[in-house]
Amino acid sequence: MTPPPGITLTVCPPLTDHDLNDLFAASWPGHDDTSFARTLARSLCWIAAHRGDRLVGFVNVATDGGVHAFILDTTVHPDERRAGLGVDLVRAAADEAKSRGADWLHVDYEPHLEGFYAQCGFRPTPAGLMEL
């Protein structure tokens, strides 16, 4: 796993709400600023991608406290897309989750992302979903 030139991947670096909200606002139309403190406090780990001091990628790994971990919030800044950074983030998250005791890594995604997650090493499985 080699990130694109000029990009640094870091495991669980300190991140500010400002940095995360800037990344999410650029990447997800309609994003409303939020506090990420509780989310990160409950995470198994997260991977951040920086170009210099600028946060350009992020993926979070939640856990059930046992052998299952869950990929959440895979986000790459639009200026950095289509260069392999998303795959690098998810693979780094998988490696870190494994090193922290996870045996299974789950991800939910929309149909148009199936190819992306296949590149990351996931295989499709039947699953259930309930909107609450």
Side-chain angles (χ1 to χ4, degrees):
M1 171 187 61
T2 304
I7 300 288
T8 303
L9 299 184
T10 310
V11 176
C12 298
L15 297 172
T16 67
D17 285 343
H18 175 77
D19 289 339
L20 285 162
N21 281 309
D22 279 357
L23 173 62
F24 277 58
S27 303
W28 302 105
H31 170 75
D32 292 322
D33 281 0
T34 188
S35 173
F36 288 87
R38 281 185 36 183
T39 300
L40 296 181
R42 295 178 180 177
S43 297
L44 177 65
C45 62
W46 59 90
I47 309 295
H50 285 87
R51 180 176 294 284
D53 292 336
R54 182 177 174 218
L55 182 66
V56 296
F58 173 80
V59 65
N60 189 19
V61 182
T63 181
D64 69 349
V67 298
H68 295 272
F70 307 84
I71 291 287
L72 300 170
D73 300 330
T74 306
T75 303
V76 173
H77 192 282
D79 294 346
E80 303 289 346
R81 291 183 183 160
R82 307 277 185 252
L85 179 55
V87 172
D88 290 338
L89 282 165
V90 172
R91 288 182 180 165
D95 290 344
E96 188 64 23
K98 181 178 181 177
S99 77
R100 293 176 183 234
D103 291 331
W104 296 97
L105 187 59
H106 305 260
V107 66
D108 291 325
Y109 51 81
E110 295 177 5
H112 71 277
L113 293 172
E114 185 171 346
F116 167 75
Y117 281 106
Q119 282 185 289
C120 295
F122 287 91
R123 67 180 190 280
T125 62
L129 178 66
M130 177 188 297
E131 185 175 356
L132 302 176

